[in-house]
Amino acid sequence: MSTRTANAPADETDAPPAEIAPGDGARPHWATVAGIAILFAAIVIAGVIFLPPIAMGAALLGIALIVLLRRILFTWPALLFLLAATVMFIPARRYALPIPLPFALEAYRLMIFVAIFALGFAFLFDRSRRWRPVAFGWPIGIFLATLLISFIVNGMRLANLGLANTSMSGFFQLGVLLSVFYSVRQMLTSERMVQGFLIVLSWMAVIVAFFAVFERVARTNVFLMLANFLPLVVLRDDGGDATRAGVNRAYGSAQHPIALAVMLCMFLPILIYLAKYAIWPRNIWNRRIAYGIGTFIVFGGIIAAISRTAVVVMGVMFLIALVLRPKVALLLLAFAVPGLLLAMFVVPAQVESMLLSFLDVDTLIASQYTSAGMTGAGRLADLEPAFVEVRQFPFFGQGYGSRIVVGDDANSFILDNQVLGILMEAGALGVIGYAVFMLAPVVMLIVYALRWAVEPRHALLAFALAVSIAGYSAALFFFDAFGFFQSFLVHMMLLAVAAWVYTEGSRKASAPKPAWTPERVSSPTPASSPEPASSAEAVR
């Protein structure tokens, strides 16, 4: 039994041996060094044998940069940044990585797989990491269940037609896209990280919009030159030329001008939110000026795309704001009118094609009936042949992923209408599931934002995200959302931010009370009649 007192210092012989943490100056074991050397040598030898010299040199340079910047790169903010930069700046379906595989490995797919594997290892080996609630998992589950039911009902027919593998590929592609929502949500662990992610993502959108304006003026798309600077293989070498009313439309880093315009529209509510609550710039006036300029550039990128779908998206977003936040909507309208007048003076052809064409209803409807029966037919021209097929399979559709619209194996036509595409492939049941998937988060966020007990910054963020997602949902009637990966992945990332604010945002009574809530006024207690002790204790 020890006679040492409680306050006496412990003897060094009794203390347990101190554990040496990695990076504390201890030399690595020789076996570790040898293993790393052998692995690196194997990678180099395999690369020399199987890869071309340029690809091998790029790979070695990439490995060297990873080793040098490992303390920066191997962090969750860095992974979020790389994922966002890949989605925003590298056009999908145009570039692939120079890796000899049976399929073209695009950069966005690689980053998605890296995020999935990184999170998988974190959950396996990091005991402090826990699963973050996603809030919107049940709408996604309902949507996927309806697609699966359609596949099961049509399984035999798809197998007989040789479309079973095509349908399974469609499920796999959709799963990859949806995984971005879960991956980004699990990486957003704090409000500061959410703020930083929104700031970086929004300024990436500003950069894309700036180069879209540059493309419209200089007729040069800088995003089609990335193969000159990055180790990328060109999949499609066409220039992406598109015109409307004799004016070239900007593609930017998107697959189509419509997709570019829809993606940029989604950032307008986010930029307005950041102008008020962003953590950078810290000065309120510098912040308003910076994000005001960013909003102006994004609006310029939308005009450069010359898309009437963008007008519909902005109209839906404005109506939601007008109904639920009329003061904010009227303030935005006061700033938008001078900008619109300036645009009409500077680029009248674009404004006339985008906005004024809605005033000529007959011409607008006639434009949607053009090229009936052809690949590039108008949306209204596609309705009749589409509903002929829908009447054959009204409830469960033809099977999700069974329609092929491009290539030698094409068996259907391009719709430019994601809702109609779901109706044809998954039937009325699939449309119901799709509506739940797209609209349930909007309703949940609006209900959250209108609660008086929510912090103002969280309420405005939830409302901005609800407006953004609602605008994207309106665009689904005018373009194939699942086929344009950039806008869909941006939607998934913003939905992940919405899941954070809905599950981890404030819910306590700290926001100002509404004007219609009566204030309780307590009369002062006279000095001659002191308050009883029990009452004072209750007040405390």
Side-chain angles (χ1 to χ4, degrees), residues 100 126 135 150 173 187 190 200 205 258 274-275 297 307 336 372 374 398 415 429 461 513 526:
D126 186 0
S150 171
Q173 177 67 31
M187 287 187 278
S190 66
V200 169
I258 295 178
L274 291 174
I297 295 174
S307 171
M374 301 177 63
Q398 307 171 15
L415 294 174
L429 182 65
L461 176 57
K513 294 182 179 180

Side-chain angles (χ1 to χ4, degrees), residues 5 19 27 32 92-93 119 159 178 181 186 199-200 218 222 273 345 350 361 390 450 469 484 507 516 525:
T5 61
E19 296 182 0
R27 294 183 178 180
T32 304
R93 295 287 177 89
L119 285 168
L178 292 175
F181 163 69
Q186 297 309 309
I199 290 173
V200 169
V222 299
Y273 160 78
F345 178 76
Q350 287 92 319
V361 179
V390 168
L450 296 182
I469 297 171
F484 296 112
R507 289 180 180 270
W516 59 83
T525 305

Side-chain angles (χ1 to χ4, degrees), residues 28-58:
H29 196 270
W30 65 269
T32 304
V33 176
I36 295 174
I38 293 173
L39 178 62
F40 184 75
I43 293 174
V44 172
I45 294 173
V48 170
I49 295 175
F50 297 106
L51 294 179
I54 295 179
M56 185 59 204

Side-chain angles (χ1 to χ4, degrees), residues 212-213 215-220 239-251 257 301-307 347 349-350 353:
V213 175
E215 176 187 353
R216 170 66 189 87
V217 175
R219 307 287 180 87
T220 301
D241 296 328
T243 60
R244 169 162 288 170
V247 181
N248 287 325
R249 308 169 69 183
Y251 275 68
I302 294 171
I303 293 178
I306 317 179
S307 171
V347 284
Q350 287 92 319
S353 178

